[in-house]
Amino acid sequence: MSQSFYVKAHWDAEASVWYSQSNIPGLVLQAETLEEFQDLIRHFGPDLLAENLGIHDPTPIRFEAVRQLTDAA
């Protein structure tokens, strides 16, 4: 059975950045845009899977973004 990997981007309104929650060992990300965040996942995710878990084959990584919107009214 293959292991499932994920990265969630959470919005920090006070700092105006997206930050990560992930089950990929060593993956800690922060970015101002979701596009930059996704680029960082693509860059660091496979390297960390190979380095920390010995996974060298292409491996799917589920990506989710979470942002809470508040009503200004």
Side-chain angles (χ1 to χ4, degrees):
M1 178 194 295
S2 65
Q3 191 171 352
S4 175
F5 297 98
Y6 73 89
V7 179
K8 289 184 182 178
H10 295 273
W11 179 247
D12 181 333
E14 188 173 318
S16 295
V17 296
W18 293 95
Y19 65 93
S20 64
Q21 174 188 0
S22 178
N23 67 342
I24 299 173
L27 186 67
V28 178
L29 304 174
Q30 182 174 309
E32 292 182 4
T33 68
L34 282 177
E35 292 77 18
E36 180 184 3
F37 197 94
Q38 290 178 67
D39 288 344
L40 292 171
I41 294 170
R42 287 186 183 102
H43 180 78
F44 291 110
D47 290 343
L48 289 169
L49 288 172
E51 185 176 319
N52 295 328
L53 299 176
I55 298 172
H56 298 282
D57 295 325
T59 303
I61 299 172
R62 188 179 77 241
F63 171 64
E64 299 176 25
V66 178
R67 185 174 187 171
Q68 183 173 338
L69 302 176
T70 55
D71 187 7

